[in-house]
Amino acid sequence: MSNRLPQLIQGEFRQSGTDTWIPVTNPATGEVLCEAPAATADEMERAIAAAKAAFLEWREVPVSERARLMLRYQHLLKERHDDIARVLAKETGKVFADAKGDVWRGIEVVEHAANIASLMMGETVENVARGIDSHSWTQPLGVCAGITPFNFPAMIPLWMFPMAIACGNSFVLKPSEQDPMTPNLLAELFLEAGAPKNLLQVVHGGKTQVDTLLTHPEIKAVSFVGSVPVGQHVYRTATDHLKRAQCFAGAKNHMVVMPDARKDQVLSNLVGSACGAAGQRCMAISVAVFVGESKQWVDELKDQFAAVRPGAWDDDQAAYGPQISAKARERILTLIRQGKEEGATCLLDGSECTVDGLPDGHWVGPTLFTDVTPRMSLYQEEIFGPVLCCLCVDTLDEAIELVNNSPYGNGTSIFTANGAAARKFRHEIEVGQVGINVPIPVPLPFFSFTGWKGSFYGDQHAYGKQAVRFYTETKTVTSRWFDDDIPDATHGGPNMTINLK
């Protein structure tokens, strides 16, 4: 087929010799956009070997040159921003505004990577003992790998390989098989920016290819974003093979609404954070916790949810797009059915959602539940769709206890006009990323993305300073020099008289 997607191996985009091809479809129409290969064992080996060879040269490249590569790359990404977003929108179903945001958040990380010289500075202490100095140096690891999900095919790869490569490593990227066209385009632009040909390899496939990266002795570190079961498998397998691993997994993000909050802000932010990107983001708000009298706002929230509708990527009036696949849609519908069966009240049901002219799209309409309890499947599982569960409590202490009892700790937020309440919440909450009157508190790249508990497996988080620590080793050097080794003026030997004039 002419629309078979190539892989970037050994510096060139090459057609695979595989017998296994994976259809990549437009989730709004069902149209097959291309076929992605499942890389063969030989292709995986050649990609890793080429990355190892590239690392041996790249690690000697001055850090200022590595920074300039990132400057050229971010410039190209900005020039092609909308082109990338169009490709991304077609293969993910995201509306164009969401797709552009996906690309832009990735560009911000590349800009951060351009500051790599200051990020990699070591430390020095003179005279740790008489005449003895100590220095620490930050050095790259080798070949690093990234395994990325479908929901942010620009942002999340750009979390990974620019930071790793700026640190002096080479990189093998295995993107989601559901939307691999965007990562391929990112790789094309990386080569166009002047990257050495073998520095980045892009291979496609599924579990077999992932397991190769997790077990191969030349892969030194693995970055992953995805579901909880896969994240646990990646972390266990990588660490069992003595690799570094950072694995970002599931979430169940709560927004706590205090009765003194600004109602209009609360309602609009709940709609946007629950339904944006069709709910397919790990930082989506899926639980609203109404404290005290704020529970009276639920009826107005229903009205605002009802006004939201999904649609195609190029529909300017659509708030969000389809689910990524029929399987993803069916899973969401199953959880909605279970919620009803377990006693939750479905105020707004998006199960039968359709979009005119797009009968084959994987649509789920905005869905709103009340009377949800923590024992329900609807509450316990990450839905990853435009579904919001509402719970009511009497006090802020009860709200904090509810959030802290969740096995996940990716993100949370509180909406309030009271500074003391906000401080108590952010201090006591056991969640890595906290918003105060901000619904989705994803940090900018000079901070790190810091999920806690069952939302993250590993030690060092994504981007920011922690990414540099993850992708590097620290070497500590203790040195001593003797005064009588200073050369003299005649023979270049000891005891030279030094003229400083």
Side-chain angles (χ1 to χ4, degrees):
M1 290 181 64
S2 60
N3 63 339
R4 283 183 165 172
L5 201 69
Q7 302 180 107
L8 178 57
I9 297 177
Q10 294 177 311
E12 295 180 8
F13 282 95
R14 306 166 184 268
Q15 284 294 335
S16 174
T18 187
D19 294 326
T20 304
W21 293 86
I22 305 163
V24 178
T25 61
N26 181 330
T29 65
E31 171 197 4
V32 176
L33 300 172
C34 67
E35 290 184 316
T40 66
D42 177 66
E43 288 164 352
M44 294 294 296
E45 192 63 41
R46 286 192 285 116
I48 295 169
K52 175 63 182 297
F55 164 69
L56 296 177
E57 295 186 10
W58 181 246
R59 68 181 178 181
E60 303 301 334
V61 171
V63 66
S64 55
E65 292 185 30
R66 304 202 301 263
R68 283 193 285 272
L69 170 61
M70 297 304 156
L71 287 170
R72 294 193 300 271
Y73 188 40
Q74 61 88 24
H75 177 70
L76 274 178
L77 291 171
K78 287 177 180 176
E79 279 191 336
R80 299 289 301 279
H81 177 272
D82 285 8
D83 296 335
I84 302 167
R86 288 186 190 94
V87 172
L88 190 155
K90 290 176 182 177
E91 65 177 346
T92 64
K94 288 187 179 185
V95 295
F96 195 45
D98 270 352
K100 290 195 290 185
D102 187 335
V103 178
W104 186 256
R105 289 309 300 264
I107 291 172
E108 290 177 329
V109 179
V110 181
E111 290 177 334
H112 180 62
N115 191 37
I116 193 61
S118 60
L119 293 171
M120 288 188 68
M121 286 183 177
E123 298 173 324
T124 302
V125 175
E126 188 179 44
N127 283 332
V128 295
R130 289 190 180 275
I132 297 177
D133 307 324
S134 285
H135 327 264
S136 70
W137 307 93
T138 304
Q139 297 185 333
L141 297 173
V143 184
C144 301
I147 302 156
T148 59
F150 76 84
N151 58 329
F152 285 94
M155 180 184 77
I156 295 178
L158 292 173
W159 275 11
M160 297 180 184
F161 74 81
M163 290 300 297
I165 288 173
C167 287
N169 303 287
S170 58
F171 204 86
V172 181
L173 175 65
K174 206 301 289 182
S176 171
E177 65 275 19
Q178 296 186 87
D179 45 17
M181 296 163 58
T182 300
N184 263 32
L185 180 52
L186 297 179
E188 286 180 29
L189 294 176
F190 194 55
L191 292 179
E192 189 177 332
K197 283 192 171 182
N198 283 330
L199 204 52
L200 174 65
Q201 316 282 322
V202 181
V203 295
H204 297 294
K207 184 178 184 299
T208 298
Q209 289 70 31
V210 167
D211 286 345
T212 298
L213 296 175
L214 300 181
T215 58
H216 198 286
E218 289 297 347
I219 301 294
K220 304 304 180 185
V222 177
S223 302
F224 168 84
V225 178
S227 68
V228 172
V230 180
Q232 291 175 342
H233 168 74
V234 169
Y235 186 72
R236 289 190 179 110
T237 307
T239 54
D240 279 350
H241 287 80
L242 307 180
K243 304 182 191 304
R244 290 189 183 181
Q246 52 174 198
C247 298
F248 298 83
K252 197 71 177 179
N253 304 318
H254 298 64
M255 179 193 287
V256 174
V257 181
M258 300 298 290
D260 64 352
R262 296 185 178 185
K263 182 174 67 173
D264 290 347
Q265 184 192 34
V266 166
L267 299 182
S268 64
N269 278 275
L270 273 173
V271 173
S273 57
C275 296
Q280 298 175 123
R281 52 189 178 192
C282 66
M283 288 295 285
I285 294 294
S286 57
V287 180
V289 184
F290 291 91
V291 180
E293 295 304 309
S294 66
K295 64 185 177 183
Q296 298 176 4
W297 303 347
V298 172
D299 287 340
E300 291 179 65
L301 178 63
K302 174 188 173 182
D303 293 340
Q304 292 203 21
F305 257 67
V308 172
R309 68 171 184 83
W313 75 271
D314 55 355
D315 180 350
D316 291 339
Q317 302 304 310
Y320 64 89
Q323 307 310 126
I324 189 66
S325 67
K327 181 179 178 181
R329 176 179 180 272
E330 185 53 43
R331 180 181 174 278
I332 295 166
L333 299 187
T334 298
L335 286 168
I336 292 173
R337 286 194 297 269
Q338 288 177 345
K340 297 173 186 176
E341 293 167 0
E342 292 173 4
T345 300
C346 189
L347 291 182
L348 188 68
D349 189 350
S351 299
E352 303 298 326
C353 178
T354 59
V355 173
D356 290 344
L358 296 169
D360 298 320
H362 312 308
W363 308 107
V364 177
T367 301
L368 183 65
F369 278 93
T370 58
D371 303 315
V372 177
T373 70
R375 294 194 172 194
M376 294 179 178
S377 303
L378 199 65
Y379 180 85
Q380 293 178 356
E381 294 195 35
E382 183 177 25
I383 300 172
F384 229 57
V387 180
L388 181 67
C389 303
C390 297
L391 289 81
C392 298
V393 299
D394 293 327
T395 66
L396 177 58
D397 284 329
E398 290 179 72
I400 291 172
E401 182 180 10
L402 184 70
V403 177
N404 286 348
N405 284 339
S406 171
Y408 301 111
N410 214 36
T412 189
S413 62
I414 184 171
F415 277 66
T416 181
N418 187 292
R423 186 189 186 283
K424 175 182 174 67
F425 183 81
R426 67 96 176 151
H427 178 67
E428 296 183 10
I429 212 71
E430 296 169 4
V431 174
Q433 295 164 115
V434 181
I436 298 172
N437 297 319
V438 173
I440 300 180
V442 178
L444 288 168
F446 30 85
F447 288 91
S448 294
F449 189 97
T450 52
W452 284 14
K453 298 191 289 189
S455 296
F456 177 71
Y457 306 103
D459 298 304
Q460 301 291 344
H461 292 91
Y463 53 81
K465 294 179 181 178
Q466 292 195 36
V468 174
R469 290 196 288 269
F470 179 76
Y471 290 124
T472 60
E473 290 276 25
T474 300
K475 178 183 289 183
T476 303
V477 178
T478 302
S479 59
R480 182 179 183 184
W481 301 98
F482 301 97
D483 289 347
D484 56 4
D485 285 338
I486 298 174
D488 63 29
T490 306
H491 302 97
N495 303 318
M496 176 179 116
T497 299
I498 301 176
N499 188 344
L500 299 178
K501 291 182 181 179

